[in-house]
């Protein structure tokens, strides 16, 4: 019985690793045929820029989802970090590297608070991070007094391009993706995340310090959210307290489309990257085809359901 | 011939690349208990899944009441009166006993659930299996034994004529097994036909009428239930196992683990003992006597109130698994799937769980080294697998247990605590685990073994501790220990306090 199911399983593993990639390829081919404007360097870089913020948030979310948690606060934390960056750089005249560092620390701190509430406070991740969503969003509004803060020129250069064609957000996205892959595959914390998400009690009885690793996980998600917030603000040349609202759901969708399981123990950086690209390509393509924004939401909803449905079906077959 | 309620001829089932059933004949008469015996992977589960409509045979025929019948779905099986009680119950813990008994078909009046009728009918069903439970109580307030009875009552409520029981005794204590047998005998008298799966050979003569032995997917023999155990084992494994418990005693050294006056209010009290290098100490007692709680406290998985644990003469801090590990303790927990393994991860990852910390430098895990070590230990333990990348979920129970033990071998734990190490695994794998225990003690390791399998704990231990009601009721040397002396200690204190 074993060898047969195994062969099947191996086959389906290759498929499920490349399933979302396959989807992306199909999407790209279809859009190339449907619109002459799609497959151009300018447009593809545009897609990259549009994907960047979601992708960075989703990389952070990947850590959390692998431990079978969820982080609903990443969008709000991104906005708060951006506001903190703009505020310290303008009203306090901090040089931009210092202000950026400060914004990162705020993001990581928010993540740590999430982690403390979840581990020591024993709150379900859904509740703890929902509360943090409110707090972070509110603090951003308080600090900015509800209106956008323009970024000083020194900071908004981050949203520019290098050599006048390579956008910085795309570079940041790729760097964060590589960091995610390295953390997940090579580091102790990354491997511990898989074990905790797969079976928390077995991980604990094998000597993994579950509390500490969960703190690391949520802190990473917070830090990634801060990076996403900084990228977003520099693109817009201003920090907007209402920015990135609902982005946490896009991030979760990207992770899940990428093949991670909300019940934990599964997920990959590359999958998440592909998931975020699928969402961005889809939005871009629908725009090029001048599909109304209302219908776009319908299409994206259907795609999320289809992606997960296909994954479930594939897994059932493998059983 | 026609008196048979169920007859199976030449059943075959292929899964991609492998033959799961390769010619099974089996029949069942009303009012008999027919035991299905075989090692894990012999085809028992495949067979019962076909009888309950979960799988479909590629070849062969199933006759019900002498008529050729196809059982395509679970509903088909239900209509034919075939009910299966799996080890994982199909019950909803949060609902009441009565709601569970009538799950999906509650009595209704004008579309509204008729609670009065429901409780009355539930009461009748519970009476029929003779279980004392309040139909209004939430199911989760019942112990596992009474949940099982509820599952049986539920099957009877569906007018089951054939009851398939998959290892019903694996989770029960000795006295609960007795109660189950009483009910089974009662059902026999009512004409219910029972298919009974067990790994406990001694139960076969007690409860069975006939035995069908499966090996490698085929039925190899049908023998009466009073067939000697040696003969049954020989039929099952196709070879004779010379000695079921091949304990080789080794020379004993200094005490490696010392436990002094360990107490946790209301759970265990004043537990003191030691385990020496080269020694196997058995911890016997009834389920619920506090054995698992004591070893978990020693390992730091649970807290304790007072007392002391020393490894190699040095005291351990309380409630710290990592400290216990660093001192050289290892725990193979009783719930293999729930606490021992990350089921969705592969063999290599599971084997590396404990040693991962040590293999980390500056935050990075030496994965190549980890893989090499995993390959070595998997080979040493003879884990039957397609490769280290195989998900442990898909391994048989015995091979899963080898992986749990393997992660502690890699960590070179000086004192290995085994909590029910052979529960639910087949005879062949059991012997391999016993041999592993031998080689561990031969190299100066110490083993503390909890087991509810009396012959096993008697056969393998150099010294036996018996727990009852959270206390150590006594200590017996290998020479003094017999089934009777152990049971006397295990239940003795119960009677005293009762």
């Amino acid at each position: 019985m074993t060898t047969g199911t195994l062969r099947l399983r191996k086959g389906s593993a290759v498929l499920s690793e490349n399933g979302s990639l396959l989807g992306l390829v199909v999407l790209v081919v279809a859009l190339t045929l449907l619109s002459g404007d799609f497959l151009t360097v300018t447009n593809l870089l545009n897609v990259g820029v549009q994907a960047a913020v979601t992708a960075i948030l989703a990389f952070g979310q990947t850590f959390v989802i692998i431990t079978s948690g969820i982080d609903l606060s990443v969008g709000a934390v991104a906005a708060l970090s951006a506001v903190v960056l703009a505020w310290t750089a303008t009203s306090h005249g901090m040089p931009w590297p210092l202000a950026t560092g400060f914004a990162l620390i705020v993001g990581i701190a928010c993540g740590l608070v999430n982690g403390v509430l979840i581990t020591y406070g024993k709150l379900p991740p859904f509740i703890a991070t929902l509360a943090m969503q409110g707090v972070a969003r509110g603090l951003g509004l308080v600090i900015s007094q509800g209106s956008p803060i323009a970024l000083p020129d020194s900071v908004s250069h981050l949203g520019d391009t290098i050599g006048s064609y390579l956008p910085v957000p795309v570079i940041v996205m790729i760097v964060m993706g590589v960091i995610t892959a390295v953390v997940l595959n090579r580091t102790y914390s990354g491997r511990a995340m898989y074990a905790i998400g797969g079976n928390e009690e077995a991980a604990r009885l094998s000597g993994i310090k579950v509390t500490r690793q969960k703190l690391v996980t949520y802190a990473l998600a917070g830090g990634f959210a801060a990076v996403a917030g900084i990228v977003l603000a520099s693109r817009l040349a201003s920090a907007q307290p209402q920015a990135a609202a609902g982005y946490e759901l896009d991030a979760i969708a990207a992770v899940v489309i990428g093949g991670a399981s909300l019940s934990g123990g599964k997920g990959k950086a590359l999958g998440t990257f592909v998931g975020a690209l699928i969402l961005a390509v889809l939005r871009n393509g629908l725009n090029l085809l001048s599909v109304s924004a209302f219908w776009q939401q319908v299409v994206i909803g259907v795609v999320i359901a289809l992606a997960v449905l296909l994954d479930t079906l594939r897994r059932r077959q493998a059983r | 011939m026609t008196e048979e309620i169920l007859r199976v001829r030449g059943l075959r089932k292929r899964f991609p690349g492998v033959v799961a059933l390769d010619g099974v004949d089996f029949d069942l008469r009303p009012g008999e208990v027919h035991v299905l015996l075989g090692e894990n992977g012999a085809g028992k589960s495949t067979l019962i899944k076909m009888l309950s409509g979960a799988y479909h045979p590629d070849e062969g025929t199933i006759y019900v009441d002498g008529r050729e019948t196809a059982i395509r779905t679970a509903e088909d099986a239900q209509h034919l009166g075939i009910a299966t009680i799996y080890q994982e119950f199909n019950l909803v813990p949060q609902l009441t006993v009565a709601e569970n008994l009538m799950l999906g078909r509650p009595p209704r009046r004008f579309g509204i659930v008729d609670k009065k009728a429901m409780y009355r009918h539930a009461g009748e069903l519970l009476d029929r299996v003779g279980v004392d439970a309040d139909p209004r109580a939430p199911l989760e307030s019942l112990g596992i034994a009474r949940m099982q009875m509820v599952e049986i009552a539920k099957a009877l409520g569906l007018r089951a004529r054939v009851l398939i029981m998959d290892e019903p005794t694996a989770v029960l204590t000795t006295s609960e097994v007795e109660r189950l047998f009483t009910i089974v005998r009662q059902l026999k008298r009512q004409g219910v036909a029972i298919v009974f799966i067990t790994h406990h050979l001694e139960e076969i003569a007690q409860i069975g009428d006939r035995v069908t032995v499966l090996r490698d997917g085929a039925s190899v023999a049908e023998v009466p239930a009073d067939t000697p155990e040696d003969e049954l084992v020989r039929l099952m494994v196709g070879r004779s196992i010379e000695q079921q418990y091949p304990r080789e005693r080794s020379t004993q050294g200094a005490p490696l683990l010392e436990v002094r006056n360990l107490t946790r209010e209301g759970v265990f009290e004043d537990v003191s003992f030691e385990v020496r290098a080269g020694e196997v100490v058995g911890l016997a007692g009834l389920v619920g006597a506090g054995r698992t709680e004591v070893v978990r406290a020693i390992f730091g998985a649970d807290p304790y109130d007072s007392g002391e644990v020393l490894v190699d003469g040095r005291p351990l801090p309380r409630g710290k698994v990592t400290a216990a590990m660093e001192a050289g303790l290892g725990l193979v927990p009783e719930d293999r799937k729930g606490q021992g393994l990350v089921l969705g991860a592969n063999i290599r990852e599971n084997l590396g769980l404990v040693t991962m910390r040590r293999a980390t430098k500056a935050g990075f895990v030496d994965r190549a080294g980890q893989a090499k070590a995993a390959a070595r230990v998997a080979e040493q333990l003879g884990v039957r697998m397609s490769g280290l990348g195989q998900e442990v979920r898909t391994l048989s129970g015995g091979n899963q247990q080898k992986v749990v033990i393997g992660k502690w071998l890699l960590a070179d734990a000086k004192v290995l605590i085994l909590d029910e190490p052979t529960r639910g695994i087949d005879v062949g794998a059991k012997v391999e685990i016993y041999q592993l225990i031998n080689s561990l003690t031969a190299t100066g390791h110490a083993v503390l073994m909890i087991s509810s399998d009396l012959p096993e704990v008697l056969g393998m231990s150099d010294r036996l501790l018996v727990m009852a009601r959270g206390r150590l009721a006594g200590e017996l040397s290998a020479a003094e220990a017999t089934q009777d002396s152990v049971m006397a200690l295990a239940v003795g204190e119960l009677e005293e306090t009762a």
Side-chain angles (χ1 to χ4, degrees), chain A residues 189-208:
Chain A
S189 290
R191 303 315 301 167
M193 287 173 202
Y194 286 101
I196 291 170
N199 186 342
E200 191 168 327
E201 181 66 4
R204 187 171 80 96
L205 291 180
S206 301
I208 289 171

Side-chain angles (χ1 to χ4, degrees), chain A residues 1 4 6 186 188 191 199 206, chain B residues 16 18 341 349 363 365 386 407:
Chain A
M1 180 163 142
L6 263 172
R186 301 259 166 253
Y188 181 80
R191 303 315 301 167
N199 186 342
S206 301
Chain B
V18 123
L341 294 166
E349 286 159 346
V365 181
S386 65
K407 68 179 179 184

Side-chain angles (χ1 to χ4, degrees), chain B residues 84-336:
Chain B
T84 307
I85 296 172
Y86 292 101
Q87 280 175 281
E88 282 88 23
F89 304 139
N90 285 317
L91 298 170
V92 186
Q94 294 84 2
L95 298 182
T96 64
V97 171
E99 282 166 329
N100 269 292
L101 284 170
M102 263 151 279
L103 211 57
R105 45 172 202 103
R108 268 161 294 198
R109 287 182 66 186
F110 315 118
I112 291 166
V113 174
D114 182 352
K115 291 224 163 175
K116 227 168 159 186
M118 187 169 75
Y119 289 130
R120 195 182 58 239
H121 191 49
E124 288 163 12
L125 284 175
L126 292 172
D127 280 349
R128 209 176 143 196
V129 293
V131 56
D132 168 36
D134 179 4
R136 289 174 173 78
L139 184 81
E140 58 195 347
S141 68
L142 271 52
I144 199 155
R146 286 201 293 169
M147 280 193 206
Q148 193 178 58
M149 308 290 176
V150 169
E151 184 84 297
I152 296 172
K154 182 179 151 197
L156 296 178
L158 294 167
R159 295 180 214 296
R161 299 179 298 153
V162 175
L163 198 57
I164 303 171
M165 305 177 87
D166 187 6
E167 287 197 58
T169 57
V171 291
L172 302 182
T173 62
T174 318
S175 60
E176 288 166 350
V177 169
E178 267 319 308
R179 291 217 13 84
L180 175 70
F181 284 180
T182 312
I183 291 168
V184 168
R185 289 189 191 105
Q186 212 171 301
L187 293 175
K188 270 177 69 167
R189 278 195 296 277
Q190 295 169 13
V192 178
I194 293 158
V195 180
F196 197 91
I197 296 179
T198 181
H199 278 300
H200 296 286
L201 298 177
E202 71 276 8
E203 289 172 4
I204 292 172
Q206 284 178 45
I207 192 71
D209 296 305
R210 284 189 293 165
V211 181
T212 289
V213 183
L214 297 185
R215 191 203 310 153
D216 300 330
S219 48
V220 291
E222 193 211 283
V223 293
D226 55 9
T227 308
E229 286 183 18
D230 311 351
E231 175 67 7
L232 290 174
V233 170
R234 197 188 57 75
L235 286 169
M236 206 162 49
V237 299
R239 58 185 189 273
S240 89
I241 287 185
E242 296 300 290
Q243 211 188 342
Q244 250 184 307
Y245 307 105
R247 174 74 186 133
E248 293 153 12
R249 300 207 150 73
S250 28
T251 48
Q252 295 180 6
L256 282 183
L257 172 68
E258 291 163 85
V259 178
R260 290 182 193 153
N261 313 103
L262 209 63
T263 299
R264 183 177 175 192
E265 302 287 336
V267 183
F268 51 83
E269 214 181 322
D270 199 23
V271 174
S272 301
F273 63 90
E274 57 177 44
V275 186
R276 296 172 167 276
E279 190 180 32
V280 177
V281 173
L283 196 49
L286 302 178
V287 171
R291 297 171 300 167
T292 295
E293 289 78 1
V294 167
V295 298
R296 281 179 61 91
I298 292 173
F299 188 63
D302 287 336
Y304 53 87
D305 297 316
S306 61
E308 218 182 357
V309 178
L310 293 94
V311 177
D312 231 352
R314 276 188 293 276
L316 283 186
R318 243 177 253 193
K320 286 221 161 66
V321 171
T322 37
M325 272 173 45
E326 274 155 31
L329 285 187
L331 172 70
V332 174
E334 84 185 309
D335 179 1
R336 184 161 59 233

